[in-house]
Amino acid sequence: MDLVPTPDGTAPAALTTPGSTPATTGHSGAQPPRPGVVLKAVDKDTTAGVIFGIGAYGLWGLLPLYFFALQPAGAVEIVANRVVWSLIFCTLLITVTRSWRVLAAAFRDRTVLGTLSIAAALIAVNWLTYTYGVTTGQAVEASLGYFINPLVSVLLGVFVLKETLRPLQWAAVGIGFVAVVVLTISYGKLPWIALTLAVSFGLYGFVKKRIGPKADAITSLTMETVVLAPLAAATMIFLAVSGAATLGTEGSGHFWLLVASGVITAVPLLFFGASARRLPMTTIGLLQYFAPVLQFIVALVVFRETMTLDRWIGFGVVWLALLVLTVDMVAAARRSAVARKRLAAHPLSAAKQARTDT
């Protein structure tokens, strides 16, 4: 049976129930854990991971409703408040979890600080673009960006990591390119909101992956907001002085909604981190479609945005590309699982076969 992987790709320690003795190696008297106990623990962990994942992507999917409630605040003000209040909330989390030493160590690591500074710039572009799209009546196109994002991640693997694509992955990328052409004709212009969101978030994920286990979710978010906070605070001050700020002019309800942006930003990220620690990447990859589907439904049902026939065709082509990509992802995960089982059952023959292949 496969263990649930951690975000950095390493396998966790064997799961045991409270009060049980972990299995050890090198001692003849050691007893392995009962299979039923391990299976039960994994099932419980997987269930929790799915719940956390649905919580994270569900909150991200409903985010347009929050931005709609913040009217008449514009995209720049919303993002500036989001950064500042997120930093305050993260500071509280760091204090409660007593993680100041971990945060200080991350800041002293130039590689971590430099990488997360790049990540901060990318996520700022992503937030601004997405908020602009939602607040200007283009939530459908904004949801398209997150549908396209998996295809961008595949292309990053080719051009940045020099990975070799499988046939179905090439097919998905080709279908995605056709979809962009169809949607460009439909919109009468390049769907720049969708493409900016897809590229910025794809690059953000790539940069964050370079950090790996060096910085957890709270530490990463705190460092990113620290990098962005001076510019965000200056923006809030400028808007207030120029009379364009809505933070203190639209009543207490509006004020507290903007202040709540810190919690609304951090909670889905914490849920996502909890999910990623418990689920294989294949499951995470399937759950990620939950957010753009919800965003798309909100745009049509709540915001009443129009969808012409040619746009439906364009979105249909995108969904076909994602279907092809998903089939390939699931098939690859199954082949990997079978290979691991064969290796576990016949390690010597597998090693011999590997030498023969090379």
Side-chain angles (χ1 to χ4, degrees):
M1 185 189 64
D2 300 326
L3 292 173
V4 180
T6 55
D8 59 343
T10 59
L15 298 171
T16 57
T17 55
S20 63
T21 303
T24 58
T25 58
H27 299 278
S28 58
Q31 296 181 354
R34 297 191 302 274
V37 173
V38 177
L39 283 172
K40 183 177 180 181
V42 171
D43 290 342
K44 183 178 179 181
D45 224 30
T46 301
T47 301
V50 170
I51 292 173
F52 278 124
I54 291 175
Y57 286 110
L59 289 172
W60 281 327
L62 296 176
L63 202 56
L65 295 175
Y66 172 65
F67 294 152
F68 182 77
L70 289 177
Q71 291 181 334
V76 173
E77 183 182 10
I78 291 173
V79 172
N81 276 271
R82 193 174 180 182
V83 170
V84 170
W85 300 117
S86 293
L87 178 58
I88 294 175
F89 183 69
C90 286
T91 301
L92 293 175
L93 284 179
I94 293 290
T95 302
V96 170
T97 58
R98 299 179 180 180
S99 303
W100 284 106
R101 290 185 178 179
V102 175
L103 181 63
F107 268 107
R108 287 193 297 268
D109 190 324
R110 293 184 179 181
T111 301
V112 173
L113 179 58
T115 304
L116 288 180
S117 295
I118 297 173
L122 289 168
I123 201 62
V125 170
N126 185 269
W127 286 354
L128 274 171
T129 305
Y130 182 72
T131 309
Y132 171 80
V134 172
T135 56
T136 57
Q138 302 175 82
V140 167
E141 187 180 340
S143 71
L144 174 65
Y146 293 106
F147 280 124
I148 297 176
N149 179 63
L151 299 173
V152 172
S153 297
V154 171
L155 288 175
L156 284 174
V158 175
F159 292 109
V160 180
L161 301 179
K162 307 301 180 183
E163 294 177 353
T164 302
L165 295 188
R166 296 183 290 270
L168 282 181
Q169 289 177 313
W170 276 119
V173 170
I175 295 170
F177 178 77
V178 172
V180 171
V181 172
V182 172
L183 288 167
T184 298
I185 296 173
S186 168
Y187 281 100
K189 61 180 179 64
L190 199 67
W192 70 268
I193 291 177
L195 293 176
T196 301
L197 288 172
V199 173
S200 61
F201 200 71
L203 288 171
Y204 176 75
F206 171 77
V207 170
K208 294 277 283 193
K209 191 174 180 63
R210 306 286 290 184
I211 291 296
K214 292 183 179 180
D216 57 28
I218 299 177
T219 303
S220 294
L221 180 60
T222 303
M223 294 182 69
E224 289 166 28
T225 50
V226 165
V227 171
L228 296 174
L231 180 59
T235 300
M236 291 177 65
I237 293 171
F238 173 79
L239 291 174
V241 171
S242 62
T246 65
L247 180 64
T249 62
E250 300 296 321
S252 59
H254 182 79
F255 173 84
W256 288 111
L257 274 176
L258 272 174
V259 171
S261 61
V263 177
I264 292 171
T265 297
V267 168
L269 286 172
L270 296 176
F271 280 0
F272 176 77
S275 176
R277 285 193 297 270
R278 292 170 170 83
L279 297 177
M281 287 309 298
T282 306
T283 307
I284 293 292
L286 294 175
L287 285 175
Q288 73 175 333
Y289 299 137
F290 198 58
V293 166
L294 277 178
Q295 293 166 1
F296 183 74
I297 292 173
V298 168
L300 293 185
V301 176
V302 180
F303 299 160
R304 304 288 184 179
E305 293 188 14
T306 58
M307 279 287 288
T308 59
L309 177 60
D310 48 359
R311 290 183 187 179
W312 276 112
I313 293 173
F315 269 78
V317 177
V318 171
W319 294 333
L320 175 62
L322 293 179
L323 177 62
V324 172
L325 197 63
T326 301
V327 169
D328 175 80
M329 178 176 60
V330 173
R334 288 179 177 175
R335 288 194 297 269
S336 179
V338 170
R340 287 197 302 270
K341 288 179 181 179
R342 287 178 178 174
L343 180 62
H346 307 287
L348 293 179
S349 60
K352 183 178 179 181
Q353 181 62 42
R355 289 194 298 271
T356 302
D357 294 338
T358 57

